[in-house]
Amino acid sequence: MKNDQQTINQMNHKINWFQKFLMVCSGGNIHILRKTPSEWNKFSGIGGIVLFTAVFATLSAGYAMYTVFDNIWTSAGFGILWGLMIFNLDRYIVSSIKKTGTWWNQILMAIPRLILATFLGIIISKPLELKIFEKEVNKQLNTIIQRNKKQLQGEMTGRILQQSGPFETEKKQISEKTLQYQKSYDSAAVELEKEILGKQSGLTSGKEGFGPNAKRKQELKEQRRQDLENYQKQVAPRLEYLDKEISKVYTNLETERKSTETFEDKFNGFAARLQALDELGKNSAIIGLAATFIMGLFICLEISPVLVKLISHVGPYDYLLEKTENDFRLYSKEKIEKGNALTDYRIEDFKENFKK
């Protein structure tokens, strides 16, 4: 027994602080690992993967939050918080896989963890993809902004036509009626000139000079001039009102357009960058393939601790862990049985005393 304790003490000195830290990252039980030196490298490797995954998750979340808040301290805080959450989740995923039991049970146990790890890998990879392709994404963002502005301009033109349409229609009707009065006046002036010059037509006498017919045509010309002027005076306030309403429509929509364009110029948030990256992948096969490989790399990084734990052979650590858990189960069962027996004894003793 003394020799065994000395052996354990010697093994304790072999674990340096960094190796111990990686074992903690792996989710392994340090007390059991101290007794199984053959498992140290495996758990250190798993812990290293979990640690680096958390580091990448921190960088990824920090960059994503920076595109949202545009503040380095806020982004750093959110990034560290997200990294710690991923770190803790990965530790739980790895530590919850038990190597004891049948291979089929281990597979069933690993499937939901692999799905979760894959999902986490995709989430971590996207912001880092945006950073890697930042220049291309910025260029595509500018293309999207210009496209949105062009679409906005088309929508504004349609709204101008819709809102100013009734006013423009009324102005056109007034112009057409004014033109009719003008034509009537011009026609009367031409007929008067022909009558004075003695030009023969269906409406003139053919006699030169200012005779009775010329006098009547002079009166008709004057009447039509007055009709034209009276109509112009009559519709002048209405035309002024229509011009003001049309100008108001243009002013309001121009103000809205400038405001919207200012908003479009700031179209560079996280969702906008994801849209730009998606369009880049569709427009460029090389970028699409590169983005797929990067995402696959992080998925492999995220699921690798689960796979390592799954494909590795059952080792001393697994046997000791099973023994420790089984000892606790037996101890708990024993305490429950003793408690039940003691309770039954008290009940029987109470019944006998009650009968007496």
Side-chain angles (χ1 to χ4, degrees), residues 6 99 308 310:
Q6 289 177 350
K99 288 300 297 178
V308 169
L310 186 63

Side-chain angles (χ1 to χ4, degrees), residues 26-36 39 42-43 91-92 94-101 109 309 314-330:
S26 71
N29 189 313
I30 296 298
H31 298 290
I32 298 178
L33 283 170
R34 290 183 189 278
K35 304 174 185 179
T36 56
E39 301 277 47
K42 181 175 74 174
F43 278 85
R91 285 184 73 247
Y92 169 74
V94 175
S95 63
S96 62
I97 297 178
K98 300 293 190 299
K99 288 300 297 178
T100 53
M109 190 187 310
K309 194 76 177 289
V314 181
Y317 173 86
D318 302 299
Y319 289 121
L320 282 177
L321 179 62
E322 183 183 19
K323 179 182 180 301
T324 303
E325 292 179 347
N326 189 56
D327 289 343
F328 274 104
R329 280 195 297 268
L330 293 176

Side-chain angles (χ1 to χ4, degrees), residues 291-308:
T292 301
F293 272 113
I294 292 172
M295 183 174 64
L297 173 64
F298 281 97
I299 291 175
C300 291
L301 182 65
E302 184 68 31
I303 67 175
S304 57
V306 180
L307 293 178
V308 169

